[in-house]
Amino acid sequence: MDLKRYVRDVPDFPEPGVLFRDITPLLQNAEAFQYAVQKLSERFQGRNLDAVVGIESRGFLFAAPLAINLGLPLVPVRKPGKLPAAHMTAEYALEYGTSQLDIHSDALGKDAAVVIVDDLIATGGTAVAAAKLVELLGARVHAFAFLVELAGLGGRERLRDYEVVSLLRYE
Amino acid sequence: MDLKRYVRDVPDFPEPGVLFRDITPLLQNAEAFQYAVQKLSERFQGRNLDAVVGIESRGFLFAAPLAINLGLPLVPVRKPGKLPAAHMTAEYALEYGTSQLDIHSDALGKDAAVVIVDDLIATGGTAVAAAKLVELLGARVHAFAFLVELAGLGGRERLRDYEVVSLLRYE
């Protein structure tokens, strides 16, 4: 199945000059969404993983069914102020300024092996921050999984110490 | 399975005097998460639905696997500024001021029957806004599904024109 048929290009979003890869048509096609989740599930079956880590909020769309399919715990990594209990924080750079991600301190056991899931990788800043959080808890990043990879933006190079899986690659 | 065992009470979050029902322990227990998704799936199997509508962002955690299980399209309802293509907007009241939710204008066909999914219903303001969006597109709310219902806050009464399913009820 050619999943790119279900990604819509929206020019000048969120700002002029940016071509946004909109995955909502893929979500809205039941077969395409099931196919994407199935493909990710196949890649990580039998890997001895301990948890799926999902990055808020579009990462949740793939992390949740992947965790269900693999029978694994789901650990949300969230934007600031969202997690109610004791948590760790990692900052990452945006084009202007910084943002941060949080993880509950009791979310992962020591040496737990996880796959970190997001819908898309661009520069990799969010992914690096999520890896930092996993490692702050003493757990281990087994791999990253993305639906879409914007290959021209260098994200894979920033994650070169890890296995990176993406289903759809744009140059 | 007693799902309440996997909900953590966090006092004074997000502000003093509020008791927050934290579902992350449920997500982080693979059996409990699978059980919750399975229970929701059973409730909506064979209903002749056309789509699952998930409310950003914790609603995505249950809407996504529900859509996969039922073989239905997943339509995200998102916070302002997130949807890249033409969309409709609905406002809803917060304790102080208002917020809004968006839906892509092409997300649902006329007369489509949907189930709207969120993790939790409190006063029901978000749910009412999501229903308004579905109806603005000419589609129809078949039911609402929540993991947690805070029954003392009147949400179910505000949704009295609809079927409301919740797996976990707190008085």
Side-chain angles (χ1 to χ4, degrees):
Chain A
M1 178 178 282
D2 178 13
L3 289 178
K4 279 191 183 175
R5 286 180 47 208
Y6 303 97
V7 176
R8 166 167 57 183
D9 290 350
V10 182
D12 300 318
F13 185 89
E15 50 190 82
V18 176
L19 182 65
F20 189 85
R21 307 290 186 175
D22 176 22
I23 63 160
T24 60
L26 186 148
L27 301 171
Q28 287 164 216
N29 183 290
E31 281 173 27
F33 186 32
Q34 284 188 320
Y35 179 85
V37 168
Q38 187 52 38
K39 281 284 155 193
L40 288 177
S41 303
E42 286 167 8
R43 289 296 293 263
F44 294 103
Q45 252 146 19
R47 292 282 198 109
N48 257 329
L49 292 168
D50 297 298
V52 174
V53 172
I55 299 179
E56 185 174 13
S57 64
R58 276 180 308 214
F60 291 177
L61 297 167
F62 296 91
L66 185 63
I68 292 286
N69 277 2
L70 298 176
L72 291 174
L74 174 62
V75 173
V77 160
R78 302 204 64 187
K79 288 161 187 168
K82 300 297 190 70
L83 289 176
H87 54 269
M88 313 286 263
T89 293
E91 285 208 342
Y92 60 100
L94 298 176
E95 203 181 349
Y96 302 102
T98 61
S99 188
Q100 64 181 58
L101 287 174
D102 293 346
I103 196 169
H104 270 147
S105 302
D106 63 357
L108 293 168
K110 222 172 150 44
D111 296 323
V114 311
V115 55
I116 298 176
V117 179
D118 208 349
D119 67 320
L120 182 142
I121 178 164
T123 64
T126 315
V128 168
K132 201 184 301 179
L133 290 172
V134 166
E135 291 164 358
L136 277 169
L137 299 187
R140 190 163 48 81
V141 179
H142 177 88
F144 282 92
F146 306 99
L147 178 68
V148 177
E149 177 180 1
L150 305 184
L153 299 177
R156 189 178 281 268
E157 289 70 41
R158 289 187 68 187
L159 302 179
R160 61 182 166 276
D161 294 341
Y162 308 102
E163 178 185 354
V164 176
V165 171
S166 68
L167 295 188
L168 270 172
R169 188 180 158 98
Y170 293 89
E171 295 307 320
Chain B
M1 180 180 280
D2 178 13
L3 290 178
K4 280 191 183 176
R5 285 179 49 209
Y6 303 98
V7 176
R8 165 166 58 183
D9 291 349
V10 181
D12 300 319
F13 185 88
E15 50 191 84
V18 176
L19 181 66
F20 188 84
R21 307 291 186 176
D22 175 22
I23 63 160
T24 61
L26 187 148
L27 300 171
Q28 287 162 217
N29 183 291
E31 282 173 27
F33 186 31
Q34 284 188 319
Y35 179 85
V37 168
Q38 186 53 37
K39 281 285 155 193
L40 288 177
S41 303
E42 286 167 9
R43 288 296 295 263
F44 294 103
Q45 252 146 19
R47 292 281 199 109
N48 258 326
L49 292 168
D50 296 299
V52 174
V53 172
I55 300 178
E56 186 174 14
S57 65
R58 277 180 307 213
F60 290 177
L61 298 167
F62 296 90
L66 185 62
I68 292 286
N69 277 2
L70 298 176
L72 291 174
L74 174 62
V75 172
V77 160
R78 301 204 65 187
K79 288 163 188 167
K82 300 296 189 73
L83 289 176
H87 54 269
M88 314 284 264
T89 293
E91 285 210 339
Y92 60 99
L94 298 175
E95 202 180 351
Y96 302 101
T98 61
S99 188
Q100 64 180 56
L101 287 175
D102 294 346
I103 195 168
H104 270 148
S105 302
D106 63 357
L108 292 168
K110 222 170 152 44
D111 296 323
V114 311
V115 55
I116 298 177
V117 178
D118 207 351
D119 67 320
L120 180 143
I121 178 164
T123 64
T126 315
V128 167
K132 203 184 300 178
L133 290 172
V134 166
E135 290 163 0
L136 277 169
L137 299 187
R140 191 163 49 79
V141 180
H142 177 89
F144 283 92
F146 306 99
L147 178 68
V148 176
E149 177 179 0
L150 305 183
L153 298 177
R156 188 177 282 268
E157 290 69 41
R158 289 187 68 186
L159 302 179
R160 62 182 166 277
D161 295 340
Y162 308 103
E163 178 185 355
V164 175
V165 170
S166 68
L167 296 187
L168 271 171
R169 189 181 158 97
Y170 293 89
E171 295 307 321

